[in-house]
Each structure stands twice: as C-alpha cells, then as structure tokens.
Amino acid sequence: MSQFTYSRLSHLFRISGNKFSVSGARTERTHGPACCLQLVRCQRSVDSKALQERQKQQMARGLPKQKPIAGVKQVIVVASGKGGVGKSTTSVNLALGLMANDPSKSVGLLDADVYGPSIPKLMNLKGNPELSDNNLMVPLTNYGIPCMSMGFLVEDVAPIVWRGLMVMSAIEKLLRQVDWGSLDYLVVDMPPGTGDVQLSITQNIPIAGAVIVSTPQDIALLDARRGAEMFKKVHVPVLGLVQNMSVFQCPNCNHQTHIFGSDGARQLADTLGVNLLGDVPLHLNIRETSDRGRPVVVSSPDSPELWGNVCVCVCLFPRPRRTGSWRLLWSRDWRKSTLE
C-alpha cells in the first residue's frame, strides 16, 4: 500500500466531498472522508508493525553472540540485587560444596565484582597470576578451587576508579583471557545490582542458571526480585533463592531471633515460582571462618550451620520447577542428602 502524503490525502478528501448520492428528493454526501481515515489508520498499523519488525532484527544483529568459555562446561552465577547480603560467602561455599559433593567434578571460581573483589580474602589467596605459554592468566588455586579476581591484579587497598568502558574491558579479560583448563562448573560471583556487568556476562557466555542471595528483610527482597526479573528477561534460568542471615541463635541460651525478619525469601520464591534453596543462619562461625580465609565448608564440614550453604549444592542441578514442589530429605551427613 502506498504511503499517504498530505497533498494526496487532501486530494482524496476533495474528490470524496464532491460525490453525492441521490435518494428520492434528497441528496446526501457519501462517507468518503471516513473511508480515507480508516485507510490511514490501516496504513499506520502496517507501518508500526514493519517498524517493530525492523527494530527487532536490528537488535538481534546488535547483540553479541554467546560464546562458551574455553574448557568450561557449565557456568553458574551467584547474584543479588543488593550488596552486603552474603553473596560472595555463598559463592565460595557453593563452589567448595560442589566439589565436596562430587570429588570427580572440577570447579572454578570467578570474582566478577570489579569494584569490590572479595574472593582473595575469602579463599586466602594473594599474589599476581602468572601467564601461560598462550599468554593467558593462570588462576590462583586454594582448597582445590582455581580462582580469578580483579583483586589479584591490584593492590589490596587500591580503589578501582574506572568508568564503564574500562570495567567492561576488565570483565572481557576475566572471561576470555584466563586459562581455566577443564572445568565442569565455573561459579561466578556477580556484583550487586542489574547493570552493565550483569548484562555483559549474560549476553556473552551461555549460563546454566542463576542463584539469587538475599536476607529476609523487605528492603533486600525488593532488589532480589529485580535481580531475578532481570535474569528472566535475558533468558537465564533462576535456579532458586538462598535466604541468608535468616535467624540468630544465642550461643548461651539457644534462643532464636529473626533479626532481619522471617521467611521473606521463601515468600518471594513462591511468588517467582522458583525454589528456596536453603536457609543460612546468622552464625558467628561463618563470619570467623570467612575472615580467616577458611570457608565453613572446609573448616567445619560437620557443623550444624553448614546445611544451608550445602543445600544449594544439593538442589542446584535440577532445573527450576514448573509445577509442584520439591522437598529436601536431610541426613546427618550432608553429603548423603537427597532430593525428591
């Protein structure tokens, strides 16, 4: 259909306005202008659909094609909408728990939080990575987990004052210029929020699933939901939520206090239709072992507060539920925990 220019439309109006139909003794004007307006609306609808289709095609051409990381079979990202909710602690214990749950699996850990890298402290690692024969950075290893972080490339107290383009360049190097060897799983500790880094990672590499970490507090849950919705928009499966700092138990009288509220993440998981992967208590042992660089999965594998972190490992491999619910069957030894 040809486009209607202003002059052509005016000409049609003049022609239609001069057409009369005679019925008996009366003459009446036909509905030529209304017909033209209907044609204009039809033309606009066609043009709008064509424009949307062109925009869709341009967006598809503009997005980067996902390319797997060499040697890595599956990538699992651990994210949170807000900082300070225990995301890095969960990432470290998740990686260690994955390996402890199945020693035949090789697991790596990538710290993608450029501005606030925590993995060097949590994994008790220092130093600069060496370069391989292929000019790739060799990850630093502790507890059998190869790790890479921006914290290995800068001084401990040096602030990273970079603009977005420099951050994106750093992320690209951490993804593509590291000699991971052969890994079954690469756990990525994501920065808080839903910004450039998250989009860059999700659009550049295929991701098996995302784990969202949050406290039960309403303020944290608002950002956790934004994070979950972001992953859905970029077609990354949300494996579930981890409720961190869920309860504090007094070491003297064993009285339990829900400092940040109770069951907030559980309710959010139900709202989103995903699984609650576990409750991690606010426990002194977790904080002390993390600060010493000996994560609780390594230093206290039989401690009662461990079950929340390892629960993520047990629940992780099935995909997000579509219908029904899952129930964890816990045994005394967390390595024998099963899922039905």
Side-chain angles (χ1 to χ4, degrees):
M1 184 181 296
S2 60
Q3 290 187 338
F4 284 94
T5 62
Y6 177 79
S7 59
R8 180 175 175 79
L9 187 59
S10 301
H11 179 67
L12 287 172
F13 273 125
R14 287 196 299 270
I15 295 176
S16 301
N18 294 329
K19 290 182 180 179
F20 294 91
S21 62
V22 180
S23 176
R26 294 185 308 168
T27 60
E28 58 183 8
R29 194 182 302 270
T30 61
H31 299 288
C35 180
C36 291
L37 289 175
Q38 186 175 2
L39 290 174
V40 171
R41 294 192 187 101
C42 180
Q43 175 67 25
R44 288 176 177 173
S45 176
V46 172
D47 291 344
S48 177
K49 291 179 180 179
L51 178 61
Q52 291 177 0
E53 186 64 26
R54 287 197 301 270
Q55 289 176 343
K56 185 177 179 180
Q57 293 174 358
Q58 290 173 357
M59 285 293 293
R61 289 196 300 268
L63 291 176
K65 293 184 178 180
Q66 289 186 338
K67 181 181 177 182
I69 301 175
V72 177
K73 294 181 180 178
Q74 294 193 62
V75 177
I76 301 163
V77 297
V78 180
S80 65
K82 186 176 291 295
V85 297
K87 169 182 54 60
S88 297
T89 303
T90 302
S91 300
V92 167
N93 286 286
L94 172 59
L96 291 166
L98 283 169
M99 189 176 65
N101 194 47
D102 188 353
S104 66
K105 301 296 184 181
S106 55
V107 184
L109 184 59
L110 172 62
D111 189 353
D113 193 347
V114 174
Y115 292 115
S118 302
I119 298 304
K121 176 70 173 178
L122 291 169
M123 292 294 286
N124 193 25
L125 287 168
K126 292 183 179 180
N128 301 116
E130 297 180 353
L131 293 179
S132 68
D133 296 336
N134 297 327
N135 205 30
L136 299 176
M137 292 183 290
V138 178
L140 276 63
T141 302
N142 197 10
Y143 310 121
I145 302 288
C147 305
M148 180 52 61
S149 170
M150 183 57 63
F152 299 147
L153 307 176
V154 297
E155 297 294 331
D156 291 342
V157 296
I160 300 177
V161 188
W162 288 353
R163 295 187 183 274
L165 290 176
M166 295 182 67
V167 175
M168 293 301 100
S169 177
I171 291 296
E172 181 68 18
K173 287 180 171 58
L174 291 175
L175 290 175
R176 303 295 180 191
Q177 298 185 17
V178 177
D179 186 6
W180 290 107
S182 178
L183 292 180
D184 292 292
Y185 304 102
L186 177 64
V187 178
V188 181
D189 180 20
M190 300 279 275
T194 57
D196 289 342
V197 174
Q198 288 82 355
L199 287 175
S200 178
I201 292 177
T202 55
Q203 291 176 353
N204 279 280
I205 61 174
I207 297 176
V211 174
I212 308 294
V213 182
S214 177
T215 64
Q217 189 177 8
D218 290 344
I219 297 298
L221 292 170
L222 286 173
D223 291 332
R225 180 162 190 173
R226 293 187 182 100
E229 294 294 344
M230 181 209 72
F231 284 116
K232 289 184 178 180
K233 285 183 178 295
V234 294
H235 308 294
V236 172
V238 177
L239 299 175
L241 273 70
V242 175
Q243 183 168 251
N244 197 22
M245 308 180 201
S246 60
V247 63
F248 172 75
Q249 180 171 302
C250 176
N252 297 320
C253 65
N254 293 328
H255 175 72
Q256 292 188 346
T257 303
H258 296 275
I259 297 175
F260 297 105
S262 61
D263 290 334
R266 186 183 304 275
Q267 296 170 6
L268 178 59
D270 291 338
T271 301
L272 296 173
V274 299
N275 298 284
L276 180 68
L277 300 178
D279 278 294
V280 183
L282 182 62
H283 200 282
L284 181 63
N285 190 36
I286 296 178
R287 197 274 302 167
E288 289 179 339
T289 56
S290 297
D291 286 348
R292 290 199 302 265
R294 288 186 55 81
V296 66
V297 172
V298 173
S299 59
S300 305
D302 297 323
S303 60
E305 67 271 14
L306 173 64
W307 72 269
N309 278 341
V310 179
C311 146
V312 182
C313 306
V314 178
C315 296
L316 187 61
F317 304 108
R319 289 296 176 256
R321 67 184 178 194
R322 300 302 180 188
T323 58
S325 61
W326 288 352
R327 182 166 62 93
L328 285 172
L329 304 177
W330 292 103
S331 64
R332 184 67 177 173
D333 184 356
W334 61 267
R335 294 180 181 86
K336 298 179 182 177
S337 301
T338 59
L339 181 69
E340 70 172 15

